[in-house]
Amino acid sequence: MGEEMNVKLHGFWASPYVKRVELALKVKGIPYEYVEEELCNKSDLLLQYNPVYKKVPVLVHNGKPTAESLVILEYIDETWKNHNSKLLPEDPYLRATFRFWGNYIHQLFETMRPIVAAEAEAQERIIDEVQEKLNILEEGIGNIFPQGKIPVVINGTENMGYLDILMCSVFARHEAVEEGLGLKILDPEKTPLICSWIAALNDLQIVKQIIPPHDNMVILFKNIRQRSFTIPSSS
């Protein structure tokens, strides 16, 4: 138990990357200390623990730091193998498949990120690209989980897995993004499986505890967008 308690997570309250790690720790039942970082004034410890990228999240276990959210998820799963269910399946092929689609979801989020500060025309291009990627993901999910029976719905429990965690971190607050930026990202008619998956995840108590409040996220996105268009460009 002493080893479990020596876990710290350096993060930022609204970061989807940090939420991935928080969800994984909660799912696994790992006690941890959360350290909130100011992204405009990063602590010396954060810079020490992650000198390469200098960003959150960083998981510190027994004084040893691990950075990058996808790497941290696998570290958690491999370090605490006997804690609750595994995040990734045991079968090597399924595990590789989950990693593949996990990377795809990660890249999908990277495609979405510039939309916050993009002007209207650029926003439309990004939304079109995101929709294409969502369509591919919708088909891929259907192949992984036949008949649309995604794990979180089948189990009816809070034993979220690797893909559940990634989807939740990216899309759990999509309505706040849409309200804050005045656009539409997810459409139940175009991607019904993805939308039902997100709805099921948002119903879980563990998600309600971790994901930031809707109103706070709306304010954050509106503020980011306003700053993007008021800060003069450098010459």
Side-chain angles (χ1 to χ4, degrees):
M1 178 62 72
E3 181 177 334
E4 292 172 11
M5 289 299 292
N6 195 10
V7 177
K8 294 183 180 180
L9 173 62
H10 290 253
F12 173 66
W13 70 272
S15 167
Y17 306 105
V18 174
K19 294 307 167 187
R20 295 172 184 176
V21 179
E22 285 193 86
L23 282 167
L25 290 168
K26 290 288 187 181
V27 167
K28 283 285 194 177
I30 311 299
Y32 65 97
E33 178 185 344
Y34 178 78
V35 181
E36 178 73 6
E37 293 282 352
E38 294 181 27
L39 299 188
C40 59
N41 184 27
K42 298 171 184 177
S43 71
D44 292 338
L45 270 181
L46 176 62
L47 300 178
Q48 173 188 326
Y49 287 141
N50 190 1
V52 177
Y53 294 116
K54 301 178 176 62
K55 60 184 181 181
V56 295
V58 174
L59 184 77
V60 184
H61 180 211
N62 289 333
K64 297 179 180 179
T66 302
E68 295 297 283
S69 61
L70 296 185
V71 176
I72 296 173
L73 291 188
E74 295 209 32
Y75 176 83
I76 291 171
D77 207 27
E78 292 168 2
T79 301
W80 291 281
K81 293 181 179 179
N82 299 321
H83 284 62
N84 299 338
S85 61
K86 286 186 65 63
L87 302 181
L88 283 161
E90 292 283 359
D91 179 79
Y93 179 75
L94 275 179
R95 192 160 60 246
T97 302
F98 275 45
R99 283 193 180 112
F100 173 85
W101 285 110
N103 284 328
Y104 186 89
I105 294 166
H106 178 79
Q107 293 304 319
L108 172 57
F109 178 64
E110 293 300 308
T111 301
M112 290 170 55
R113 285 186 64 189
I115 204 170
V116 178
E119 295 184 357
E121 187 175 339
Q123 272 192 342
E124 290 181 12
R125 289 197 300 269
I126 294 171
I127 291 173
D128 288 342
E129 185 178 356
V130 167
Q131 189 58 58
E132 288 180 12
K133 291 181 181 295
L134 284 171
N135 292 339
I136 294 171
L137 179 60
E138 178 87 1
E139 183 177 352
I141 293 169
N143 291 332
I144 299 173
F145 309 126
Q147 301 175 350
K149 294 181 178 179
I150 53 181
V152 71
V153 176
I154 290 176
N155 296 338
T157 70
E158 301 201 358
N159 291 328
M160 299 169 67
Y162 185 73
L163 295 183
D164 297 312
I165 288 170
L166 292 177
M167 286 295 287
C168 188
S169 69
V170 175
F171 292 111
R173 280 291 173 257
H174 72 93
E175 291 179 344
V177 179
E178 293 171 345
E179 182 177 339
L181 302 183
L183 48 79
K184 189 72 175 175
I185 296 174
L186 290 184
D187 185 342
E189 293 186 3
K190 295 178 179 178
T191 52
L193 183 53
I194 289 174
C195 290
S196 65
W197 192 357
I198 298 305
L201 288 168
N202 278 333
D203 256 352
L204 299 178
Q205 276 302 122
I206 195 171
V207 173
K208 293 177 181 178
Q209 294 168 4
I210 291 293
I211 299 302
H214 174 90
D215 291 346
N216 292 6
M217 294 300 291
V218 171
I219 292 171
L220 175 68
F221 287 118
K222 285 183 176 180
N223 287 342
I224 293 174
R225 188 154 181 81
Q226 183 177 13
R227 286 200 302 270
S228 299
F229 293 104
T230 54
I231 298 176
S233 59
S234 59
S235 56

